[in-house]
Amino acid sequence: MIGGLLFSFWRFFQIVTLIPTLGMLAYFVHQFEKQGLLTPNYVLVLFIVSVLAAAWAIATVFRRKSTRESSLFASFVDLCFVGAFIAGVYELRSIANASCSNFSADSRFSLTIDNNGVSGSSPFHLNVNKNCAMLKASFAFGIMNCIFFAITAFLLLFMHRNRDDREVVVKETYRRRSHDSR
């Protein structure tokens, strides 16, 4: 019972981290498609793995009883997703050292509402490169999902090990002795 609860808990976190990854990477796939360009491998690999992993995670949550029955197979598939996420993160590794934001001090600002205007200076200003930040977030979510799928693979192995597959067969035999006195 506790294995099933832990499994559902980790699957929930997988789904929660896969949905934003899907959205961010779908944005890049759409942008490249709109411009008529091929989507680069570093986006496409992680996007495809995330789509398949999200479908698998949702299916195993809804079919929890059959997942428990075939926990060895589900564990194998989860380990395959660990390898696929490692490949996706490896393809996107160049974003790890990128600086996606620029923080500066003493910037000027102005705000105008109708005829009333306010201007002044702010001590802080933050510029964030949206594309870089989204790729970096997808990279981080990919690493997190590597860990999450490894955890659920081991939980499924634990659930398989603790299953009681033995079938109890009771065989009753009766012997009748005949006392023939010949």
Side-chain angles (χ1 to χ4, degrees), residues 113-156:
I113 301 173
D114 288 334
N115 292 331
N116 301 326
V118 177
S119 65
S121 65
S122 170
F124 307 111
H125 186 68
L126 178 65
N127 291 325
V128 177
N129 182 349
K130 175 182 167 184
N131 293 338
C132 177
M134 286 175 31
L135 283 174
K136 201 165 222 181
S138 296
F139 177 77
F141 281 137
I143 293 171
M144 289 168 58
N145 279 306
C146 285
I147 297 166
F148 291 168
F149 273 92
I151 289 171
T152 56
F154 290 121
L155 279 174
L156 285 166

Side-chain angles (χ1 to χ4, degrees), residues 3-4 7 11 56 59-76 155-167:
F7 173 76
R11 275 290 193 241
W56 173 253
T60 55
V61 165
F62 286 136
R63 298 178 45 108
R64 191 173 40 176
K65 183 172 174 35
S66 65
T67 301
R68 189 176 301 140
E69 295 293 324
S70 60
S71 58
L72 198 58
F73 173 74
S75 176
F76 173 73
L155 279 174
L156 285 166
L157 282 175
F158 176 73
M159 288 168 53
H160 176 74
R161 194 185 86 201
N162 288 338
R163 258 186 27 192
D164 192 12
D165 285 338
R166 292 176 290 174
E167 186 175 318

